[in-house]
Amino acid sequence: MSRKHKENEVPLVALKNESSRQRWEMFHRAIAHAKETSQAAIVEADLGADEGNSGRPLLTIVR
């Protein structure tokens, strides 16, 4: 009886492992996408700063 239980458990464990692997892969892809987007925004901001007046309002802090 315990042998049957283990045989039934193996596919469930494999399913959980595959699901976990897919979630981690998606998580890492999301992190990579966020880094690329952030880097692109930084580069775009740097290029806009070099042009002088970029057409967007400049934020300043006045005390």
Side-chain angles (χ1 to χ4, degrees), residues 43-54:
V43 168
E44 182 180 319
D46 287 346
L47 292 176
D50 292 343
E51 293 175 359
N53 188 1
S54 64

Side-chain angles (χ1 to χ4, degrees), residues 9-19:
E9 189 177 77
V10 172
L12 181 62
V13 170
L15 180 63
K16 285 182 181 179
N17 288 341
E18 180 63 17
S19 178

Side-chain angles (χ1 to χ4, degrees), residues 2-56:
S2 65
R3 182 167 169 84
K4 273 189 168 183
H5 180 67
K6 286 184 180 181
E7 286 176 5
N8 290 338
E9 189 177 77
V10 172
L12 181 62
V13 170
L15 180 63
K16 285 182 181 179
N17 288 341
E18 180 63 17
S19 178
S20 295
R21 186 195 64 75
Q22 288 176 354
R23 282 194 308 270
W24 275 109
E25 183 179 338
M26 188 177 294
F27 171 76
H28 288 291
R29 289 172 68 187
I31 294 296
H33 178 72
K35 285 181 180 180
E36 288 174 9
T37 303
S38 177
Q39 185 64 29
I42 291 170
V43 168
E44 182 180 319
D46 287 346
L47 292 176
D50 292 343
E51 293 175 359
N53 188 1
S54 64
R56 292 185 289 190

